[in-house]
Amino acid sequence: MNGSRSMLRLATAALRQGSSLPGSAGKGAYCKTEFLVRGYAADADAYDKMPDSGKKPDSGEIVVEIPVKFNLHLLESGPPQEAITTKEELMKSYTDMSVIRRAEISADMLFKSQMIRGFCHLYDGQEAVAVGMERALTFDDSVITAYRDHGIFLGRGGTALELFSELMGKKTGCALGKGGSMHLYHRKHNFWGGWGIVGSVPPLGAGLAFAHKYMKKPNVVVAIYGDGAGNQGQLYEAQNLAALWNLPLILLIENNHFGMGTAEWRASKKVTHYDRVPYIPGIKADGMDMFSVREAFKYCKEHCLAGKGPIMLEADTYRYHGHSMSDPGSTYRSRKEIQGMRQERDPIERIRKIILTEELVTKEELKDLDKKIRAEVEDAAAKAREEPFPSDDELFANIYKADSGLVAYGCDRRKTKVEMP
Amino acid sequence: MGGRRASLPLVSRLCTSVKPRNNWVQKRSFITAKDLVVEEQPSGEEEKRAVTNKLNLFSAVNQALLTVLESDPKSYVFGEDVGFGGVFRCTTGLRDRFGKHRVFNTPLCEQAILGFGIGLASMGNRAIAEIQFADYIFPALDQIVNEAAKYRYRSGNLFNCGGLTVRAPYGAVGHGGHYHSQSPEAFFCHVPGIKVVIPRSPAQAKGLLLASIRDPNPVVFFEPKMLYRMAVEEVPVDDYTLPLSSAEVMRKGSDITLVGWGAQLTLMEQACDEASKEGISCELIDLRTLIPWDKELVEASVNKTGRLLVSHEAPLTGGFGAEIAASITESCFLRLEAPVSRVCGLDTPFPLVFEPFYMPTKNKILDAIKASVKF
């Protein structure tokens, strides 16, 4: 669409009316589910508005409004409520989020057919957080997260083949098949993992941030945890350390409002996380809106690199699946609520609407892209199935550094001896 | 109704046992229990225990908790997700029955759960804390080691937290990976001041848990999660306790003594069966309480057989088998015919796909039995 503002106004009005575009729910028809009525979601009326976008003529730039206001703590001004984007960025974000979505759906099926064993914590619904974060950071910034790491891994440049191999415990996985779902890593792109214990990540992030600062790198560390970890003691210790030593640490809280099956209002006296610490500033962003997350991250990165110390970033997001594959996810949430989220706040739908409104590509091309992504992800899963498991020597490998620790021998590996260099 | 009915015809018994005062006594048309000649009664406990239910491990634990909550109004069950029944259903129905001020969820904070439990117990309450998986008990290790274990000692018996019981599922399940399969009992066995109890079956679990809760010392109670559903046994319905610090001989033998606990005993039993086909008679002992452990029984057994094998899922180095081996070597050195054998997990972090290699399987145990006998 080139330029004419009147046509644009008509199109956006059509969007608001919820006309024929896929996934729209009709004006004002978003469900006032229990979840929203409790009031800790951001301004509920904001959901009535669809993302308003306007194209500046002849600049190739698209301006996207961020409908949900940022909540600020100890900050005079926050990120702008408008994001400037381009066709490339929109298409890339759409692709990245769709890959994560399809990968999670594939992982679900693979788990149910027992190709993946152990534990599988799925990320679908939260794609905007991973992708929005990557839009604002570079691969020289470090990211460290807990066990819900499939989306973060893919966002950090991990391939679907590496992901599925690792999930199935195969040799070609990113951690050589020894980590599994909860322990994905990417050395080159500074993705420090995939950690199992709830609450263990913030102190680790503080350590990474100290190293970054010491080496005078223009980079930040993002330590990610969920609302369930918000009540762990080590988090407070890490916050104090980071603030005391002015570390370039962004504490990202992926607040999907349920810690396993416990709703946040039943586990925490204070349900918000960004404003819990009186000496660390915080921002609350809409975690289902990629642009909200992106702008918040840009702001936070600037804040940290200006030497102002750590900052908390709470992303108000939602996971469609349960906590893990052994949790149906519907015993503590109503199906209406989950469906409501899918209809009203789905991050991929939001980007799709912008792309189609701006007529960057046609509907058919977008469908083809969807098919292509689906085929690629399923190919990766099929290929990963054929890969071999790690060999037996891997069992004792890397407990200590090679040639400086334990060597096991004997047919039952019972006898060990110490080998020092 | 406890009496055993007499086998003689009732009427003749009535005539012999009841002295008729009036005519009307003999005209009674019904017989009451008092009229019957009562033979030698079996002891009360056996009679009571005769009524059992077929239960699995989590139901047996549930029954034990129910009994405690019913009998002691100052007992509390708390932990992550215990309200709806817990992730292993051990606490099903308790909140509905006893209310949410006695059975309640805690937030995700193991260290605080333990500290809170210690405080509650020091005021004379029975605090039964649940840690969702034994792998997550480590933030709470400081509270257990430095506070719970030492409270009575360092206050000169002015204060204590004996009412504390910590329950945690432990052990491998086949697909648990690094953080849902660990056996951390060795860490706790190194701490004087607490007791560590591990049951092997539903009936044992109910009795041992009731004993642990009522023991006036803090107890860490590890439940083998593999057996929660798989182990089914006749469990007595009433309130009974099994003694702590008392090992049990599961089967008698004369060639070698096997010592183990928890789910590992199932594998050891299978190995014993296979060994007996080859003429090796194995004595199998369930330790039940790891600290303070029943040294006398194990020593007596080793003095009889002359050989010892210990097996556990935890890694070999520094596992509790090492303590048993050292202790027995010290006390039964001249009697031992072969070195003490330990069949344990490998010295690696609990692996993901390599679990079958890591685990001390039946064949590894059988191999070690044969090696010990042929030494």
Side-chain angles (χ1 to χ4, degrees), chain A residues 117-119 121 166-170 177-183 195-198 228-229 231-234 237 259-262 266-268 389-396 399 406 411-414 416, chain B residues 80-81 84 87 95 105-112 132-133 135-136 138-139 173-182 316-317 340-344 346-349 351-355 357-358 364 367:
Chain A
R117 307 207 65 212
F119 295 86
H121 305 86
E166 187 60 39
L167 290 180
M168 295 195 236
K170 305 288 170 115
K178 295 178 72 173
S181 160
M182 296 200 280
H183 307 287
W195 294 75
I197 299 294
V198 170
N231 299 315
Q232 278 279 325
Q234 10 185 4
E237 296 180 11
M260 239 165 61
T262 306
R266 285 200 288 134
S268 306
F389 281 108
S391 65
D392 310 351
D393 344 330
E394 279 297 323
L395 173 56
F396 269 92
I399 299 175
L406 224 55
C411 62
D412 58 354
R413 309 304 194 316
R414 221 184 133 257
T416 55
Chain B
E80 290 158 24
D81 297 314
F84 81 91
V87 286
R95 184 172 65 174
N105 288 338
T106 58
L108 219 170
C109 43
E110 285 78 15
Q111 191 164 15
Q132 198 156 77
F133 282 88
D135 314 60
Y136 310 151
F138 298 109
V173 276
H175 55 267
H178 310 99
Y179 297 113
H180 296 81
S181 321
Q182 292 178 55
L316 178 71
T317 303
V340 175
S341 187
R342 289 179 292 160
V343 183
C344 308
L346 301 177
D347 280 328
T348 73
L352 194 60
V353 292
F354 294 116
E355 186 168 331
F357 290 105
Y358 169 93
K364 287 187 191 176
D367 215 30

Side-chain angles (χ1 to χ4, degrees), chain A residues 7-281:
Chain A
M7 285 190 62
L8 202 57
R9 237 176 274 130
L10 271 175
T12 47
L15 255 181
R16 287 215 189 88
Q17 301 272 327
S19 55
S20 57
L21 291 168
S24 58
K27 186 176 191 316
Y30 77 93
C31 5
K32 271 200 168 60
T33 60
E34 247 183 46
F35 172 79
L36 293 173
V37 158
R38 287 203 189 249
Y40 51 75
D43 178 21
D45 290 335
Y47 298 133
D48 263 338
K49 298 193 215 123
M50 292 302 167
D52 193 5
S53 46
K55 207 168 184 173
K56 290 202 182 83
D58 299 323
S59 65
E61 284 181 343
I62 304 162
V63 176
V64 177
E65 188 194 308
I66 298 171
V68 175
K69 298 263 175 297
F70 291 105
N71 291 26
L72 303 173
H73 170 64
L74 298 183
L75 290 167
E76 298 279 310
S77 61
Q81 296 287 156
E82 254 184 9
I84 301 174
T85 183
T86 60
K87 175 180 175 182
E88 287 73 31
E89 187 177 15
L90 280 167
M91 294 312 295
K92 183 167 188 345
S93 305
Y94 181 83
T95 311
D96 287 346
M97 291 204 277
S98 299
V99 167
I100 297 177
R101 179 67 61 92
R102 286 262 36 116
E104 296 303 74
I105 295 174
S106 292
D108 182 325
M109 294 194 300
L110 287 169
F111 191 93
K112 286 185 176 140
S113 54
Q114 298 209 345
M115 303 293 302
I116 297 176
R117 307 207 65 212
F119 295 86
C120 200
H121 305 86
L122 297 177
Y123 199 75
D124 55 329
Q126 297 183 202
E127 296 90 356
V129 178
V131 172
M133 175 174 76
E134 296 303 335
R135 291 290 85 82
L137 304 179
T138 66
F139 285 149
D140 289 326
D141 295 308
S142 293
V143 174
I144 182 170
T145 183
Y147 48 80
R148 202 177 295 281
D149 54 353
H150 301 177
I152 308 282
F153 172 73
L154 290 170
R156 277 269 112 178
T159 63
L161 177 62
E162 278 173 349
L163 172 66
F164 287 118
S165 302
E166 187 60 39
L167 290 180
M168 295 195 236
K170 305 288 170 115
K171 191 155 83 163
T172 42
C174 54
L176 307 176
K178 295 178 72 173
S181 160
M182 296 200 280
H183 307 287
L184 303 171
Y185 301 89
H186 202 300
R187 188 77 188 85
K188 200 153 148 277
H189 292 173
N190 291 309
F191 175 43
W192 300 81
W195 294 75
I197 299 294
V198 170
S200 64
V201 168
L204 299 164
L208 290 171
F210 186 90
H212 278 63
K213 183 174 176 179
Y214 203 91
M215 296 192 284
K216 293 198 185 357
K217 290 184 163 185
N219 295 118
V220 292
V221 174
V222 183
I224 309 178
Y225 63 95
D227 48 294
N231 299 315
Q232 278 279 325
Q234 10 185 4
L235 170 62
Y236 295 94
E237 296 180 11
Q239 285 163 346
N240 182 53
L241 277 184
L244 188 64
W245 296 332
N246 243 11
L247 302 179
L249 177 67
I250 301 176
L251 287 161
L252 171 64
I253 302 112
E254 287 177 328
N255 190 348
N256 54 31
H257 308 288
F258 293 91
M260 239 165 61
T262 306
E264 57 181 359
W265 61 83
R266 285 200 288 134
S268 306
K269 182 74 178 167
K270 187 171 177 32
V271 296
T272 52
H273 296 259
Y274 72 103
D275 54 355
R276 280 194 184 187
V277 187
Y279 48 81
I280 298 183

Side-chain angles (χ1 to χ4, degrees), chain B residues 50-313:
Chain B
V51 186
T52 62
N53 267 335
K54 213 166 181 158
L55 294 179
N56 55 22
L57 189 68
F58 72 76
S59 305
V61 170
N62 189 261
Q63 293 263 307
L65 295 174
L66 205 101
T67 310
V68 171
L69 288 166
E70 253 175 2
S71 56
D72 187 351
K74 281 173 70 177
S75 53
Y76 307 88
V77 174
F78 52 92
E80 290 158 24
D81 297 314
V82 300
F84 81 91
V87 286
F88 292 109
R89 301 210 221 145
C90 295
T91 48
T92 327
L94 297 179
R95 184 172 65 174
D96 294 334
R97 185 141 167 200
F98 298 100
K100 60 181 200 261
H101 57 285
R102 288 185 69 196
V103 179
F104 51 91
N105 288 338
T106 58
L108 219 170
C109 43
E110 285 78 15
Q111 191 164 15
I113 290 172
L114 249 304
F116 170 89
I118 293 169
L120 193 58
S122 6
M123 300 266 320
N125 301 297
R126 292 198 206 281
I128 304 161
E130 174 176 309
I131 299 291
Q132 198 156 77
F133 282 88
D135 314 60
Y136 310 151
I137 206 168
F138 298 109
L141 192 61
D142 174 67
Q143 284 284 344
I144 296 174
V145 169
N146 281 329
E147 313 304 336
K150 300 178 165 76
Y151 203 3
R152 193 192 288 272
Y153 186 83
R154 67 177 193 238
S155 67
N157 206 19
L158 284 178
F159 292 100
N160 71 82
C161 57
L164 175 70
T165 308
V166 184
R167 290 179 38 244
Y170 88 102
V173 276
H175 55 267
H178 310 99
Y179 297 113
H180 296 81
S181 321
Q182 292 178 55
S183 306
E185 70 266 6
F187 293 98
F188 298 90
C189 292
H190 197 49
V191 187
I194 57 170
K195 295 192 177 182
V196 178
V197 179
I198 304 184
R200 69 168 186 272
S201 73
Q204 294 283 315
K206 181 174 170 181
L208 288 172
L209 184 55
L210 284 167
S212 304
I213 293 171
R214 290 168 181 163
D215 190 273
N217 296 293
V219 177
V220 180
F221 189 83
F222 285 116
E223 298 160 2
K225 65 169 87 71
M226 178 74 129
L227 301 182
Y228 271 137
R229 284 188 220 225
M230 270 178 47
V232 178
E233 200 181 16
E234 295 286 344
V235 178
V237 295
D238 61 319
D239 189 345
Y240 67 99
T241 58
L242 293 169
L244 295 188
S245 293
S246 152
E248 184 176 341
V249 179
M250 284 171 67
R251 63 168 73 182
K252 287 197 184 301
S254 55
D255 293 330
I256 181 171
T257 302
L258 275 73
V259 175
W261 51 86
Q264 191 64 9
L265 285 165
T266 326
L267 291 174
M268 292 168 89
E269 263 187 316
Q270 291 171 10
C272 287
D273 289 336
E274 295 237 346
S276 65
K277 287 186 201 145
E278 304 194 17
I280 304 175
S281 155
C282 305
E283 179 144 305
L284 184 58
I285 296 181
D286 175 10
L287 210 54
R288 300 203 295 193
T289 303
L290 265 62
I291 52 159
W293 61 289
D294 192 350
K295 248 179 245 188
E296 283 81 26
L297 191 111
V298 179
E299 276 171 19
S301 175
V302 174
N303 279 328
K304 182 173 77 168
T305 62
R307 293 178 178 83
L308 177 63
L309 182 147
V310 187
S311 185
H312 56 71
E313 278 175 25

